[in-house]
Coordinates of all heavy atoms in Angstrom, one line a residue:
M26 N 109.6 110.5 90.6 CA 108.8 109.5 91.2 C 109.7 108.5 91.9 O 110.8 108.1 91.4 CB 108.0 108.7 90.1 CG 107.3 107.5 90.6 SD 106.4 106.7 89.3 CE 105.0 106.2 90.3
K27 N 109.3 108.0 93.0 CA 110.1 107.1 93.8 C 110.0 105.7 93.2 O 108.9 105.2 92.9 CB 109.6 107.1 95.2 CG 110.4 106.2 96.2 CD 109.8 106.4 97.6 CE 109.2 105.1 98.1 NZ 108.7 105.2 99.4
P28 N 111.2 105.0 93.0 CA 111.1 103.6 92.5 C 110.4 102.7 93.5 O 110.7 102.8 94.7 CB 112.6 103.2 92.2 CG 113.3 104.2 93.1 CD 112.5 105.4 93.2
I29 N 109.5 101.9 93.0 CA 108.8 101.0 93.9 C 109.0 99.5 93.7 O 108.9 98.8 94.6 CB 107.3 101.3 93.9 CG1 106.7 101.1 92.5 CG2 107.0 102.7 94.4 CD1 105.2 101.2 92.4
G30 N 109.3 99.1 92.5 CA 109.5 97.7 92.2 C 108.2 96.9 92.4 O 107.2 97.4 92.6
T31 N 108.3 95.6 92.2 CA 107.2 94.7 92.3 C 106.8 94.5 93.7 O 107.5 94.2 94.6 CB 107.5 93.4 91.7 OG1 108.0 93.5 90.3 CG2 106.3 92.5 91.6
R32 N 105.5 94.8 94.0 CA 104.9 94.6 95.3 C 103.7 93.8 95.2 O 103.0 93.8 94.1 CB 104.5 95.9 95.9 CG 105.7 96.8 96.3 CD 105.4 98.0 97.1 NE 106.5 98.8 97.3 CZ 106.5 100.0 97.8 NH1 105.4 100.6 98.0 NH2 107.6 100.6 98.0
C33 N 103.3 93.1 96.2 CA 102.1 92.3 96.2 C 100.8 93.2 96.1 O 100.8 94.3 96.7 CB 102.0 91.4 97.5 SG 103.1 90.1 97.5
I34 N 99.9 92.7 95.3 CA 98.6 93.4 95.2 C 97.5 92.4 95.4 O 97.5 91.3 94.8 CB 98.4 94.0 93.8 CG1 99.6 95.0 93.5 CG2 97.1 94.7 93.6 CD1 99.6 95.5 92.0
R35 N 96.6 92.7 96.4 CA 95.6 91.7 96.7 C 94.2 92.4 96.3 O 94.0 93.5 96.7 CB 95.6 91.4 98.2 CG 94.6 90.3 98.6 CD 94.7 89.9 100.0 NE 96.0 89.4 100.3 CZ 96.4 88.1 100.2 NH1 95.5 87.2 99.7 NH2 97.6 87.7 100.5
T36 N 93.4 91.6 95.7 CA 92.0 92.0 95.4 C 91.1 91.0 96.1 O 91.6 90.1 96.8 CB 91.7 92.0 93.9 OG1 91.6 90.6 93.4 CG2 92.7 92.8 93.1
T37 N 89.8 91.1 96.0 CA 88.9 90.2 96.7 C 89.1 88.8 96.1 O 88.8 87.8 96.8 CB 87.5 90.6 96.5 OG1 87.1 90.8 95.2 CG2 87.2 91.9 97.3
R38 N 89.5 88.6 94.8 CA 89.6 87.3 94.2 C 91.0 86.9 93.9 O 91.2 85.7 93.8 CB 88.8 87.3 92.9 CG 87.3 87.5 93.0 CD 86.5 87.4 91.7 NE 87.2 88.0 90.6 CZ 87.4 87.3 89.4 NH1 87.0 86.1 89.3 NH2 88.1 87.9 88.4
L39 N 91.9 87.8 93.7 CA 93.2 87.5 93.2 C 94.3 88.0 94.1 O 94.2 89.0 94.8 CB 93.4 88.0 91.8 CG 92.4 87.6 90.7 CD1 92.7 88.4 89.5 CD2 92.5 86.1 90.5
L40 N 95.5 87.4 94.0 CA 96.7 87.9 94.6 C 97.7 88.0 93.5 O 98.0 87.0 92.8 CB 97.2 87.0 95.7 CG 98.6 87.3 96.2 CD1 98.6 88.7 96.9 CD2 99.1 86.2 97.1
L41 N 98.3 89.2 93.3 CA 99.4 89.4 92.3 C 100.6 89.5 93.2 O 100.7 90.4 94.1 CB 99.2 90.7 91.5 CG 98.2 90.6 90.3 CD1 96.8 90.3 90.8 CD2 98.3 91.8 89.5
R42 N 101.6 88.6 93.0 CA 102.8 88.5 93.8 C 104.0 88.4 93.0 O 104.0 88.1 91.8 CB 102.7 87.4 94.8 CG 102.6 86.0 94.2 CD 102.8 84.9 95.2 NE 102.5 83.6 94.6 CZ 103.3 83.0 93.8 NH1 104.5 83.5 93.4 NH2 103.0 81.8 93.3
K43 N 105.2 88.6 93.6 CA 106.4 88.4 93.0 C 106.6 86.9 92.5 O 106.1 86.0 93.2 CB 107.6 88.7 93.9 CG 107.8 90.2 94.2 CD 109.0 90.4 95.0 CE 109.1 91.9 95.3 NZ 110.4 92.1 96.1
P44 N 107.2 86.6 91.4 CA 107.4 85.3 91.0 C 108.4 84.5 91.9 O 109.2 85.1 92.5 CB 108.0 85.4 89.6 CG 108.6 86.8 89.5 CD 107.8 87.6 90.5
E45 N 108.2 83.2 91.9 CA 109.1 82.3 92.7 C 109.5 81.2 91.8 O 108.8 80.8 90.9 CB 108.3 81.8 93.9 CG 107.8 82.8 94.9 CD 106.8 82.3 95.9 OE1 106.5 81.1 95.8 OE2 106.4 83.1 96.8
M46 N 110.6 80.6 92.1 CA 111.1 79.5 91.2 C 110.2 78.4 91.1 O 110.1 77.7 90.1 CB 112.5 79.0 91.7 CG 113.6 80.0 91.5 SD 113.8 80.4 89.7 CE 114.1 78.9 88.9
T47 N 109.4 78.1 92.2 CA 108.4 77.0 92.2 C 107.3 77.3 91.2 O 106.4 76.4 91.0 CB 107.9 76.8 93.6 OG1 107.4 78.0 94.1 CG2 109.1 76.3 94.5
D48 N 107.1 78.5 90.6 CA 106.0 78.8 89.7 C 106.2 78.2 88.3 O 105.2 78.2 87.6 CB 105.8 80.3 89.6 CG 105.4 81.0 91.0 OD1 104.7 80.3 91.7 OD2 105.8 82.1 91.2
A49 N 107.4 77.9 88.0 CA 107.7 77.5 86.6 C 106.7 76.3 86.1 O 106.1 76.5 85.0 CB 109.1 77.1 86.4
P50 N 106.6 75.2 86.8 CA 105.7 74.2 86.3 C 104.3 74.6 86.0 O 103.7 74.3 85.0 CB 105.7 73.1 87.3 CG 107.0 73.3 88.0 CD 107.2 74.8 88.0
A51 N 103.7 75.4 86.9 CA 102.3 75.9 86.8 C 102.2 76.9 85.6 O 101.2 76.8 84.8 CB 101.8 76.6 88.1
L52 N 103.2 77.7 85.4 CA 103.2 78.7 84.3 C 103.3 77.9 82.9 O 102.7 78.4 82.0 CB 104.3 79.7 84.4 CG 104.1 80.7 85.6 CD1 105.4 81.5 85.8 CD2 102.9 81.6 85.3
V53 N 104.0 76.8 82.9 CA 104.0 76.0 81.7 C 102.7 75.3 81.5 O 102.1 75.3 80.4 CB 105.2 75.0 81.7 CG1 105.1 74.0 80.6 CG2 106.5 75.7 81.7
T54 N 102.1 74.7 82.5 CA 100.9 74.0 82.4 C 99.7 74.8 82.0 O 98.9 74.4 81.2 CB 100.6 73.3 83.8 OG1 101.6 72.4 84.2 CG2 99.2 72.6 83.8
N55 N 99.7 76.1 82.5 CA 98.5 76.9 82.1 C 98.9 77.8 80.9 O 98.1 78.7 80.6 CB 98.0 77.8 83.3 CG 99.0 78.8 83.7 OD1 99.9 79.3 83.0 ND2 98.9 79.2 85.0
H56 N 100.0 77.5 80.2 CA 100.4 78.2 78.9 C 100.7 79.6 79.1 O 100.7 80.4 78.1 CB 99.3 78.0 77.9 CG 99.0 76.5 77.6 ND1 99.8 75.7 77.0 CD2 97.9 75.8 78.0 CE1 99.2 74.5 77.0 NE2 98.1 74.5 77.6
S57 N 101.0 80.1 80.3 CA 101.5 81.4 80.5 C 103.0 81.5 80.0 O 103.4 82.6 79.6 CB 101.5 81.8 82.0 OG 100.1 81.9 82.4
L58 N 103.7 80.4 80.0 CA 105.0 80.3 79.4 C 104.9 79.2 78.4 O 104.9 78.0 78.8 CB 106.1 80.1 80.4 CG 106.4 81.2 81.4 CD1 107.4 80.8 82.5 CD2 106.9 82.4 80.6
A59 N 104.9 79.5 77.1 CA 104.8 78.4 76.1 C 106.2 77.9 75.7 O 106.7 78.3 74.7 CB 104.0 78.9 74.9
M60 N 106.8 77.1 76.6 CA 108.1 76.6 76.4 C 108.4 75.4 77.2 O 107.6 75.1 78.1 CB 109.2 77.7 76.7 CG 109.0 78.2 78.1 SD 110.1 79.6 78.6 CE 109.4 80.9 77.6
P61 N 109.4 74.6 76.9 CA 109.7 73.5 77.8 C 110.0 73.9 79.2 O 110.5 75.0 79.5 CB 110.9 72.8 77.1 CG 111.0 73.4 75.7 CD 110.3 74.7 75.8
L62 N 109.8 73.0 80.1 CA 110.0 73.3 81.6 C 111.4 73.8 81.9 O 111.5 74.7 82.7 CB 109.6 72.1 82.4 CG 109.7 72.3 83.9 CD1 108.8 73.4 84.4 CD2 109.3 71.0 84.7
D63 N 112.4 73.2 81.3 CA 113.8 73.6 81.7 C 114.0 75.1 81.2 O 114.7 75.9 81.9 CB 114.9 72.7 81.1 CG 114.8 72.6 79.6 OD1 113.7 72.7 79.0 OD2 115.9 72.3 79.0
E64 N 113.5 75.4 80.1 CA 113.6 76.8 79.6 C 112.7 77.8 80.5 O 113.1 78.9 80.8 CB 113.1 76.9 78.1 CG 113.5 78.1 77.4 CD 113.1 78.1 75.9 OE1 113.2 77.0 75.3 OE2 112.7 79.1 75.4
A65 N 111.6 77.3 80.9 CA 110.7 78.1 81.7 C 111.4 78.4 83.1 O 111.2 79.5 83.6 CB 109.4 77.4 81.9
R66 N 112.1 77.4 83.6 CA 112.8 77.6 84.9 C 113.8 78.7 84.7 O 114.0 79.6 85.6 CB 113.5 76.3 85.3 CG 112.5 75.3 85.9 CD 113.2 74.2 86.6 NE 112.2 73.3 87.2 CZ 111.9 72.1 86.9 NH1 112.5 71.5 85.9 NH2 111.0 71.4 87.5
R67 N 114.5 78.8 83.6 CA 115.5 79.9 83.3 C 114.8 81.2 83.2 O 115.2 82.2 83.7 CB 116.3 79.6 82.1 CG 117.4 78.5 82.3 CD 118.3 78.4 81.2 NE 117.7 78.0 79.9 CZ 117.5 76.7 79.5 NH1 117.9 75.7 80.3 NH2 117.0 76.4 78.4
C68 N 113.6 81.2 82.5 CA 112.8 82.4 82.4 C 112.3 82.9 83.7 O 112.4 84.1 84.0 CB 111.6 82.1 81.4 SG 110.6 83.5 81.1
V69 N 111.8 82.0 84.6 CA 111.3 82.4 85.9 C 112.5 82.9 86.7 O 112.3 83.9 87.5 CB 110.6 81.3 86.6 CG1 110.3 81.6 88.0 CG2 109.3 80.9 85.8
A70 N 113.7 82.4 86.6 CA 114.8 82.9 87.3 C 115.1 84.3 86.9 O 115.4 85.2 87.8 CB 116.1 82.0 87.1
D71 N 115.0 84.6 85.7 CA 115.2 86.0 85.2 C 114.1 86.9 85.7 O 114.3 88.0 86.1 CB 115.2 86.1 83.7 CG 116.5 85.5 83.1 OD1 117.5 85.4 83.8 OD2 116.4 85.1 81.9
M72 N 112.8 86.4 85.8 CA 111.7 87.2 86.3 C 112.0 87.5 87.8 O 111.7 88.6 88.2 CB 110.4 86.4 86.2 CG 109.9 86.2 84.7 SD 108.6 85.0 84.5 CE 107.4 85.6 85.7
V73 N 112.5 86.5 88.5 CA 112.7 86.7 90.0 C 113.7 87.9 90.1 O 113.6 88.8 91.0 CB 113.2 85.4 90.6 CG1 113.8 85.7 92.0 CG2 112.1 84.4 90.7
K74 N 114.8 87.8 89.3 CA 115.8 88.9 89.4 C 115.3 90.2 89.0 O 115.5 91.3 89.6 CB 117.0 88.5 88.5 CG 118.0 87.5 89.1 CD 119.2 87.4 88.2 CE 119.1 86.0 87.5 NZ 120.2 85.8 86.6
D75 N 114.5 90.3 87.9 CA 114.0 91.5 87.3 C 113.0 92.1 88.3 O 112.8 93.4 88.3 CB 113.3 91.3 86.0 CG 114.3 91.1 84.9 OD1 115.5 91.4 85.1 OD2 113.9 90.7 83.8
A76 N 112.2 91.3 89.0 CA 111.2 91.8 89.9 C 111.8 92.7 91.0 O 111.1 93.5 91.7 CB 110.4 90.7 90.5
E77 N 113.1 92.6 91.2 CA 113.8 93.4 92.2 C 114.2 94.8 91.7 O 114.6 95.7 92.4 CB 115.0 92.7 92.8 CG 114.7 91.4 93.5 CD 113.7 91.6 94.6 OE1 113.8 92.6 95.4 OE2 112.8 90.8 94.7
K78 N 114.2 95.0 90.4 CA 114.5 96.3 89.8 C 113.5 97.3 90.0 O 112.3 97.0 90.1 CB 114.8 96.1 88.3 CG 115.9 95.2 88.0 CD 116.1 95.0 86.5 CE 117.3 94.1 86.2 NZ 117.4 93.8 84.7
P79 N 113.9 98.6 90.2 CA 112.9 99.6 90.6 C 111.8 99.9 89.6 O 110.7 100.3 90.0 CB 113.7 100.8 90.9 CG 115.0 100.6 90.2 CD 115.2 99.1 90.1
F80 N 112.0 99.8 88.3 CA 111.0 100.1 87.3 C 110.7 99.0 86.4 O 110.4 99.2 85.2 CB 111.4 101.4 86.6 CG 111.5 102.6 87.5 CD1 112.7 103.2 87.7 CD2 110.3 103.1 88.0 CE1 112.8 104.3 88.6 CE2 110.4 104.2 88.9 CZ 111.6 104.8 89.1
C81 N 110.8 97.8 86.9 CA 110.5 96.6 86.1 C 109.6 95.8 87.0 O 109.9 95.6 88.2 CB 111.7 95.8 85.8 SG 111.4 94.4 84.7
F82 N 108.4 95.3 86.5 CA 107.4 94.7 87.3 C 107.1 93.3 86.8 O 106.7 93.2 85.6 CB 106.2 95.5 87.4 CG 106.5 96.9 87.9 CD1 106.8 97.9 87.0 CD2 106.6 97.2 89.2 CE1 107.1 99.2 87.4 CE2 106.9 98.5 89.7 CZ 107.2 99.5 88.7
H83 N 107.1 92.3 87.6 CA 106.7 90.9 87.2 C 105.7 90.5 88.3 O 106.1 90.5 89.5 CB 107.8 90.0 87.2 CG 108.7 90.1 86.0 ND1 108.4 89.6 84.8 CD2 109.9 90.7 85.8 CE1 109.3 89.9 83.9 NE2 110.3 90.6 84.5
W84 N 104.5 90.1 87.9 CA 103.6 89.5 88.9 C 103.2 88.1 88.4 O 103.0 87.9 87.2 CB 102.3 90.4 89.0 CG 102.5 91.6 89.7 CD1 102.6 91.8 91.1 CD2 102.6 92.9 89.1 NE1 102.7 93.2 91.4 CE2 102.7 93.9 90.2 CE3 102.6 93.4 87.8 CZ2 102.9 95.2 89.9 CZ3 102.8 94.7 87.6 CH2 102.9 95.7 88.6
V85 N 103.0 87.2 89.4 CA 102.3 86.0 89.1 C 100.9 86.2 89.7 O 100.8 86.6 90.8 CB 103.1 84.8 89.8 CG1 102.3 83.5 89.8 CG2 104.4 84.6 89.2
I86 N 100.0 85.8 88.9 CA 98.6 85.9 89.3 C 98.1 84.6 89.9 O 98.2 83.6 89.3 CB 97.7 86.3 88.1 CG1 98.2 87.5 87.3 CG2 96.2 86.5 88.5 CD1 97.6 87.6 85.9
T87 N 97.6 84.7 91.1 CA 97.1 83.5 91.8 C 95.7 83.7 92.2 O 95.2 84.8 92.5 CB 97.9 83.1 93.0 OG1 97.8 84.2 94.0 CG2 99.4 82.9 92.7
M88 N 94.9 82.6 92.2 CA 93.5 82.6 92.6 C 93.4 81.3 93.4 O 93.7 80.2 93.0 CB 92.6 82.6 91.4 CG 91.2 82.6 91.8 SD 90.2 82.7 90.2 CE 88.6 82.7 90.9
D89 N 92.9 81.5 94.7 CA 92.8 80.4 95.6 C 94.1 79.6 95.7 O 94.2 78.4 95.7 CB 91.7 79.4 95.2 CG 90.3 80.1 95.2 OD1 90.1 81.0 96.0 OD2 89.5 79.8 94.3
D90 N 95.2 80.3 95.8 CA 96.6 79.8 95.9 C 97.0 79.0 94.7 O 98.0 78.2 94.7 CB 96.8 79.0 97.2 CG 96.6 79.8 98.4 OD1 97.1 81.0 98.4 OD2 96.0 79.3 99.4
K91 N 96.3 79.1 93.6 CA 96.7 78.4 92.3 C 97.2 79.5 91.3 O 96.6 80.5 91.1 CB 95.5 77.7 91.8 CG 95.8 76.9 90.5 CD 94.6 76.2 90.0 CE 94.9 75.5 88.7 NZ 93.7 74.9 88.1
V92 N 98.4 79.2 90.7 CA 98.9 80.1 89.7 C 98.0 80.0 88.4 O 97.8 79.0 87.9 CB 100.4 79.7 89.3 CG1 100.9 80.6 88.2 CG2 101.2 79.9 90.6
V93 N 97.5 81.2 88.0 CA 96.6 81.2 86.8 C 97.2 82.1 85.7 O 96.6 82.1 84.6 CB 95.2 81.7 87.2 CG1 94.5 80.7 88.2 CG2 95.2 83.1 87.8
G94 N 98.3 82.8 86.0 CA 98.9 83.6 84.9 C 100.0 84.5 85.4 O 100.5 84.3 86.5
R95 N 100.4 85.5 84.5 CA 101.5 86.4 84.9 C 101.3 87.7 84.2 O 100.6 87.8 83.2 CB 102.8 85.8 84.6 CG 103.1 85.7 83.1 CD 104.3 84.9 82.8 NE 104.6 84.8 81.3 CZ 105.5 85.5 80.7 NH1 106.3 86.3 81.3 NH2 105.6 85.4 79.4
I96 N 101.9 88.7 84.7 CA 101.9 90.1 84.1 C 103.3 90.6 84.1 O 104.1 90.4 85.1 CB 101.0 91.0 84.9 CG1 99.6 90.5 85.0 CG2 101.1 92.4 84.4 CD1 98.7 91.3 86.0
K97 N 103.7 91.2 83.1 CA 105.1 91.8 83.0 C 105.0 93.2 82.5 O 104.3 93.5 81.5 CB 106.0 91.0 82.1 CG 107.4 91.6 81.9 CD 108.2 90.7 81.0 CE 109.6 91.3 80.8 NZ 110.4 90.5 79.9
C98 N 105.6 94.1 83.2 CA 105.8 95.5 82.7 C 107.2 95.9 82.8 O 107.8 95.7 83.9 CB 105.0 96.5 83.6 SG 103.2 96.2 83.6
W99 N 107.9 96.3 81.8 CA 109.3 96.6 81.8 C 109.5 98.0 81.2 O 108.7 98.5 80.4 CB 110.1 95.5 81.2 CG 109.9 95.4 79.7 CD1 110.8 95.9 78.8 CD2 108.9 94.7 79.0 NE1 110.3 95.5 77.5 CE2 109.1 94.8 77.7 CE3 107.7 94.0 79.5 CZ2 108.3 94.3 76.7 CZ3 106.9 93.5 78.5 CH2 107.2 93.6 77.2
E100 N 110.7 98.5 81.5 CA 111.1 99.8 80.9 C 110.0 100.9 81.2 O 109.7 101.6 80.3 CB 111.5 99.7 79.5 CG 112.6 98.8 79.2 CD 113.0 98.8 77.7 OE1 112.6 99.7 77.0 OE2 113.7 97.8 77.3
V101 N 109.5 100.8 82.4 CA 108.5 101.8 82.8 C 109.1 103.1 83.0 O 110.1 103.3 83.7 CB 107.8 101.3 84.1 CG1 106.8 102.4 84.6 CG2 107.1 100.0 83.9
N102 N 108.5 104.1 82.4 CA 109.0 105.5 82.5 C 108.2 106.1 83.6 O 107.0 106.4 83.4 CB 108.9 106.3 81.2 CG 109.4 107.7 81.3 OD1 109.4 108.3 82.4 ND2 109.8 108.2 80.2
P103 N 108.8 106.4 84.8 CA 108.0 106.9 85.9 C 107.5 108.3 85.8 O 106.6 108.7 86.5 CB 108.9 106.8 87.1 CG 110.3 106.9 86.5 CD 110.2 106.2 85.1
Y104 N 107.9 109.0 84.8 CA 107.6 110.4 84.6 C 106.4 110.6 83.6 O 106.0 111.7 83.4 CB 108.8 111.2 84.2 CG 109.9 111.1 85.2 CD1 111.0 110.3 85.0 CD2 109.8 111.7 86.4 CE1 112.0 110.1 85.9 CE2 110.7 111.6 87.4 CZ 111.8 110.8 87.1 OH 112.8 110.6 88.1
N105 N 106.0 109.5 82.9 CA 104.9 109.6 81.9 C 103.7 108.9 82.4 O 103.6 107.8 82.8 CB 105.3 109.0 80.6 CG 106.4 109.9 79.9 OD1 106.4 111.1 80.1 ND2 107.2 109.3 79.1

């Protein structure tokens, strides 16, 4: 299987996109990251790096351009 990495996925209601550093405050506010903001910024920085790996996936879920959550899939085995 060809490595694909994190790509944007759009539905009629939602956009799943790669994380951005500016997402940290919203992810803390909506309890997607239950940690202090400075720690969340470090976590999001790691998410941004990991999203570039071929079999690790991080999405930020947005609805009407508002961050509402996140999804993480890691150590994906492309052959199973």
Side-chain angles (χ1 to χ4, degrees):
M26 173 179 219
K27 183 173 116 178
I29 59 171
T31 303
R32 294 188 180 166
C33 288
I34 301 170
R35 185 177 300 276
T36 70
T37 55
R38 297 182 323 128
L39 303 173
L40 171 65
L41 281 63
R42 61 166 173 76
K43 290 182 179 184
E45 301 169 355
M46 287 304 300
T47 56
D48 295 327
L52 291 169
V53 169
T54 299
N55 68 26
H56 305 286
S57 293
L58 292 174
M60 57 187 67
L62 183 56
D63 59 331
E64 194 175 326
R66 285 189 173 113
R67 287 190 294 273
C68 182
V69 171
D71 290 339
M72 290 168 55
V73 168
K74 282 187 249 176
D75 286 346
E77 297 305 317
K78 295 178 181 176
F80 296 110
C81 185
F82 306 91
H83 286 279
W84 289 279
V85 170
I86 307 165
T87 64
M88 182 175 180
D89 299 325
D90 295 322
K91 181 180 176 185
V92 174
V93 295
R95 68 188 182 107
I96 300 170
K97 177 181 180 180
C98 300
W99 68 99
E100 297 182 18
V101 174
N102 182 334
Y104 302 105
N105 290 332

